[in-house]
mmCIF file of all heavy atoms in Angstrom:
data_model
loop_
_atom_site.group_PDB
_atom_site.id
_atom_site.type_symbol
_atom_site.label_atom_id
_atom_site.label_comp_id
_atom_site.label_asym_id
_atom_site.label_seq_id
_atom_site.Cartn_x
_atom_site.Cartn_y
_atom_site.Cartn_z
ATOM 1 N N HIS A 187 116.536 119.015 134.669
ATOM 2 C CA HIS A 187 117.950 119.029 134.217
ATOM 3 C C HIS A 187 118.109 119.975 133.000
ATOM 4 O O HIS A 187 119.020 119.802 132.242
ATOM 5 C CB HIS A 187 118.393 117.630 133.794
ATOM 6 C CG HIS A 187 118.245 116.670 134.956
ATOM 7 N ND1 HIS A 187 118.916 116.755 136.131
ATOM 8 C CD2 HIS A 187 117.443 115.575 135.042
ATOM 9 C CE1 HIS A 187 118.526 115.756 136.948
ATOM 10 N NE2 HIS A 187 117.707 115.040 136.231
ATOM 11 N N ASP A 188 117.323 121.103 132.992
ATOM 12 C CA ASP A 188 117.435 121.988 131.905
ATOM 13 C C ASP A 188 117.996 123.360 132.557
ATOM 14 O O ASP A 188 117.315 124.127 133.099
ATOM 15 C CB ASP A 188 116.103 122.321 131.298
ATOM 16 C CG ASP A 188 116.138 123.366 130.146
ATOM 17 O OD1 ASP A 188 117.224 123.464 129.526
ATOM 18 O OD2 ASP A 188 115.143 124.055 129.958
ATOM 19 N N PRO A 189 119.314 123.620 132.242
ATOM 20 C CA PRO A 189 119.920 124.834 132.864
ATOM 21 C C PRO A 189 119.382 126.170 132.214
ATOM 22 O O PRO A 189 119.400 127.193 132.932
ATOM 23 C CB PRO A 189 121.421 124.753 132.568
ATOM 24 C CG PRO A 189 121.513 123.771 131.375
ATOM 25 C CD PRO A 189 120.340 122.846 131.518
ATOM 26 N N LEU A 190 118.964 126.088 131.013
ATOM 27 C CA LEU A 190 118.465 127.354 130.374
ATOM 28 C C LEU A 190 117.165 127.878 131.061
ATOM 29 O O LEU A 190 116.993 129.120 131.424
ATOM 30 C CB LEU A 190 118.261 127.155 128.891
ATOM 31 C CG LEU A 190 119.448 126.877 128.073
ATOM 32 C CD1 LEU A 190 119.111 126.736 126.625
ATOM 33 C CD2 LEU A 190 120.593 127.933 128.302
ATOM 34 N N SER A 191 116.229 127.000 131.398
ATOM 35 C CA SER A 191 115.006 127.270 132.052
ATOM 36 C C SER A 191 115.113 127.308 133.519
ATOM 37 O O SER A 191 114.091 127.752 134.203
ATOM 38 C CB SER A 191 113.893 126.387 131.555
ATOM 39 O OG SER A 191 114.071 125.107 132.055
ATOM 40 N N MET A 192 116.169 126.600 133.983
ATOM 41 C CA MET A 192 116.362 126.519 135.479
ATOM 42 C C MET A 192 115.201 125.662 136.041
ATOM 43 O O MET A 192 114.877 125.803 137.226
ATOM 44 C CB MET A 192 116.503 127.831 136.159
ATOM 45 C CG MET A 192 117.682 128.679 135.644
ATOM 46 S SD MET A 192 117.921 130.237 136.476
ATOM 47 C CE MET A 192 118.546 129.655 138.048
ATOM 48 N N GLY A 193 114.617 124.802 135.224
ATOM 49 C CA GLY A 193 113.480 123.946 135.662
ATOM 50 C C GLY A 193 112.186 124.565 135.578
ATOM 51 O O GLY A 193 111.205 123.917 135.735
ATOM 52 N N TYR A 194 112.062 125.917 135.198
ATOM 53 C CA TYR A 194 110.778 126.527 135.174
ATOM 54 C C TYR A 194 110.108 126.383 133.746
ATOM 55 O O TYR A 194 110.703 126.390 132.754
ATOM 56 C CB TYR A 194 110.968 128.057 135.490
ATOM 57 C CG TYR A 194 111.231 128.357 136.897
ATOM 58 C CD1 TYR A 194 112.628 128.628 137.221
ATOM 59 C CD2 TYR A 194 110.283 128.331 137.842
ATOM 60 C CE1 TYR A 194 112.951 128.975 138.550
ATOM 61 C CE2 TYR A 194 110.657 128.592 139.191
ATOM 62 C CZ TYR A 194 111.924 128.880 139.488
ATOM 63 O OH TYR A 194 112.251 129.145 140.834
ATOM 64 N N ALA A 195 108.795 126.326 133.821
ATOM 65 C CA ALA A 195 107.948 126.262 132.685
ATOM 66 C C ALA A 195 106.650 127.017 132.932
ATOM 67 O O ALA A 195 106.176 127.135 134.023
ATOM 68 C CB ALA A 195 107.553 124.854 132.261
ATOM 69 N N ALA A 196 106.131 127.569 131.828
ATOM 70 C CA ALA A 196 104.783 128.271 131.901
ATOM 71 C C ALA A 196 103.720 127.263 131.408
ATOM 72 O O ALA A 196 104.017 126.593 130.428
ATOM 73 C CB ALA A 196 104.692 129.502 131.014
ATOM 74 N N VAL A 197 102.722 127.070 132.233
ATOM 75 C CA VAL A 197 101.589 126.232 131.757
ATOM 76 C C VAL A 197 100.732 126.973 130.759
ATOM 77 O O VAL A 197 100.171 128.029 131.084
ATOM 78 C CB VAL A 197 100.728 125.721 132.968
ATOM 79 C CG1 VAL A 197 99.669 124.824 132.471
ATOM 80 C CG2 VAL A 197 101.622 125.095 134.027
ATOM 81 N N ILE A 198 100.677 126.475 129.554
ATOM 82 C CA ILE A 198 99.993 127.227 128.444
ATOM 83 C C ILE A 198 98.824 126.415 127.942
ATOM 84 O O ILE A 198 98.806 125.230 128.058
ATOM 85 C CB ILE A 198 100.929 127.542 127.307
ATOM 86 C CG1 ILE A 198 101.604 126.281 126.755
ATOM 87 C CG2 ILE A 198 102.050 128.554 127.840
ATOM 88 C CD1 ILE A 198 102.389 126.539 125.504
ATOM 89 N N GLU A 199 97.893 127.184 127.326
ATOM 90 C CA GLU A 199 96.633 126.522 126.901
ATOM 91 C C GLU A 199 96.199 127.186 125.542
ATOM 92 O O GLU A 199 96.205 128.416 125.405
ATOM 93 C CB GLU A 199 95.549 126.671 127.923
ATOM 94 C CG GLU A 199 94.185 126.120 127.482
ATOM 95 C CD GLU A 199 93.172 126.291 128.573
ATOM 96 O OE1 GLU A 199 92.739 127.401 128.853
ATOM 97 O OE2 GLU A 199 92.793 125.224 129.218
#
Side-chain angles (χ1 to χ4, degrees):
H187 304 296
D188 178 29
L190 297 183
S191 69
M192 304 183 69
Y194 288 102
V197 183
I198 59 172
E199 177 180 72

